Amino acid sequence: MHTWQIQEAKARLSTVLRHAEQEGPQEITHHGRSVAVLLSRVDYDRLTGNRQSLVEFMRRSPLYDQDDLVIERDVSLTRELEL
C-alpha cells in the first residue's frame, strides 16, 4: 500500500485515484498519522458485499422456491405501557 501525505494527496488527487484503481488501497497520513485509506469502487464493493442485488441475495436462500414454507405472524399481546 502506497502512503501519501495529505498535502501531496490533495495536490495529486488524480494520481492517487489512478493508483487506487490500478494498485490497490492508498493510505493517507496527516502529521505522520494514518487518517484514511482510499479504495477503488471495486475493492469497496468486494469488502462490503455490494456485488449483488437484494433479489439475487434472496434467490440464493436455501428457502427459495419452497412451497411448504409457512410463515406465521406472532399473535401475542403487546405489553402495557404507561405514558
Side-chain angles (χ1 to χ4, degrees):
M1 176 169 24
H2 190 273
T3 300
W4 304 81
Q5 292 180 351
I6 195 166
Q7 300 89 339
E8 185 182 11
K10 286 169 47 178
R12 300 181 58 202
L13 182 59
S14 60
T15 301
V16 177
L17 292 172
R18 189 172 49 256
H19 280 262
E21 280 187 320
Q22 296 173 355
E23 300 173 13
Q26 303 294 300
E27 180 180 33
I28 300 174
T29 63
H30 184 65
H31 296 296
R33 186 175 62 93
S34 180
V35 293
V37 175
L38 181 72
L39 300 173
S40 69
R41 172 50 90 172
V42 171
D43 287 342
Y44 177 79
D45 287 344
R46 182 178 48 80
L47 289 172
T48 60
N50 289 337
R51 292 180 290 185
Q52 62 184 352
S53 70
L54 178 59
V55 172
E56 292 168 343
F57 174 77
M58 298 295 279
R59 286 183 178 151
R60 287 189 15 216
S61 167
L63 301 177
Y64 184 72
D65 275 345
Q66 292 216 355
D67 295 329
D68 60 345
L69 180 64
V70 178
I71 300 175
E72 295 180 0
R73 182 177 180 191
D74 183 6
V75 292
S76 62
L77 298 175
T78 58
R79 64 182 179 180
E80 294 288 328
L81 180 66
E82 293 183 30
L83 298 176

